[in-house]
Amino acid sequence: MKVNSRRSQRAGACAGKPSRREFLLAAGGVAAGIALPPIALAQSRSGPGRFSPPTQASAAATLQAIQKIVGAAPINKGKVTVDLPALIDNGNGVPLTVSVDSPMTEADHVKAIHVLSEKNPLPNVVSFHLGPRAGRARAATRIRLADSQTVLAICEMSDGSFWSGSVDVVVTIAACLEEL
Amino acid sequence: MARAIVNLPASARRGEIIEIKALVAHDMETGFRRTEVGALIPRNIVTRFVCSYNGAEVFRADFHPAIAANPYLAFTTRATESGTIACTWTGDNGYSHTESAAITVA
């Protein structure tokens, strides 16, 4: 019973925005052996399968996304700082700040910053496009994270070089499990 | 009716770096969630944000489903002249919203 109700909570929470009543009804349904829609059961059984396929971007898809950004150019490590909380209570709205060590002059500035995730359903998270008028190479937003993972930022400089920085985060409640 | 906030200093010195904060009310439906009966909820997100300073683009962002609901952005620009800073969000299903704020540069 305990296991069942937890399962249905997972399936229910992911399927739209169930009210408390709907959730309790769903939980009762499982306990009483009433068949839930097969898709909900399939989702709840597969553990991390909180999303419809693709559950996670495959490593190949992530590599492809990186390649789409940099092409054949090499990626240097450094200059980019990804600021995320190390321990994330709720993956639905995680404050992200990316900053790049750059003077932001006409001759030497950041053209774009791309943020990629390793274990979200899609590898791309956000791309910032800026120029010398920005003054500072820094942007912040709020993102969703589906799992504990590495978040990578690749920045494109005006001279055509690419630099990257990454951070490892632990997510306790994944995005989609609970609505804000 | 879309609700949006663009926050920036009302006045600045010429050449000063100012921070612009922009927020829009939007669900950012990922397209990966399902309803109670298993039907996929179609994706409905804001895909692009553009900030222009007196008509010239100074910052742009491409959003993906991994951006949280009610997308928030904070970025900087150099105050060059008095005028209007306009932020435009565009997205799925023909979504478009523009919010402007005025700045006085001394």
Side-chain angles (χ1 to χ4, degrees):
Chain A
M1 170 64 204
K2 213 168 190 179
V3 172
N4 277 346
S5 59
R6 196 182 299 147
R7 272 185 183 170
S8 57
Q9 180 179 19
R10 180 170 275 190
C14 227
K17 293 176 180 172
S19 64
R20 181 180 155 80
R21 177 169 300 175
E22 281 164 344
F23 160 59
L24 289 173
L25 273 175
V30 173
I34 299 168
L36 276 178
I39 193 77
L41 277 177
Q43 272 191 340
S44 59
R45 249 199 307 272
S46 58
R50 294 176 295 263
F51 306 97
S52 65
T55 304
Q56 279 181 9
S58 64
T62 309
L63 279 179
Q64 214 170 15
I66 294 173
Q67 223 158 43
K68 210 173 158 190
I69 294 166
V70 303
I75 306 174
N76 309 296
K77 267 214 160 92
K79 288 197 181 186
V80 184
T81 311
V82 185
D83 200 0
L84 272 174
L87 179 67
I88 294 157
D89 280 345
N90 188 337
N92 272 307
V94 188
L96 163 85
T97 305
V98 190
S99 47
V100 184
D101 180 17
S102 162
M104 292 306 272
T105 58
E106 199 64 54
D108 180 8
H109 60 264
V110 174
K111 277 169 76 180
I113 304 170
H114 307 272
V115 180
L116 296 135
S117 125
E118 187 191 12
K119 287 187 177 171
N120 277 10
L122 294 171
N124 292 90
V125 174
V126 68
S127 298
F128 303 120
H129 302 268
L130 44 168
R133 280 189 72 169
R136 267 195 289 266
R138 185 186 170 89
T141 185
R142 280 197 287 260
I143 65 169
R144 292 177 171 136
L145 291 172
D147 206 346
S148 298
Q149 56 180 300
T150 304
V151 176
L152 174 77
I154 299 174
C155 104
E156 185 184 351
M157 297 293 190
S158 53
D159 64 2
S161 66
F162 290 92
W163 295 81
S164 78
S166 63
V167 67
D168 296 322
V169 293
V170 174
V171 178
T172 52
I173 300 176
C176 176
L177 266 182
E178 227 168 69
E179 284 302 296
L180 283 178
Chain B
M1 188 57 206
R3 287 163 297 147
I5 303 167
V6 173
N7 185 305
L8 51 93
S11 63
R13 290 187 311 277
R14 193 174 301 276
E16 188 183 344
I17 296 169
I18 55 163
E19 185 177 45
I20 300 170
K21 286 177 260 181
L23 181 79
V24 68
H26 196 286
D27 283 345
M28 295 294 282
E29 187 58 58
T30 60
F32 292 104
R33 300 196 307 152
R34 290 179 185 274
T35 62
E36 287 86 341
V37 292
L40 207 57
I41 305 171
R43 190 185 94 159
N44 181 15
I45 64 166
V46 175
T47 50
R48 171 158 289 198
F49 169 87
V50 177
C51 175
S52 53
Y53 194 138
N54 283 345
E57 181 186 306
V58 291
F59 180 87
R60 177 162 57 90
D62 298 325
F63 288 164
H64 297 272
I67 293 296
N70 304 326
Y72 162 82
L73 271 173
F75 53 95
T76 56
T77 193
R78 224 174 259 283
T80 51
E81 55 191 338
S82 295
T84 325
I85 291 179
C87 295
T88 303
W89 292 264
T90 47
D92 295 339
N93 306 328
Y95 177 83
S96 180
H97 184 74
T98 304
E99 195 80 19
S100 305
I103 183 164
T104 310
V105 176

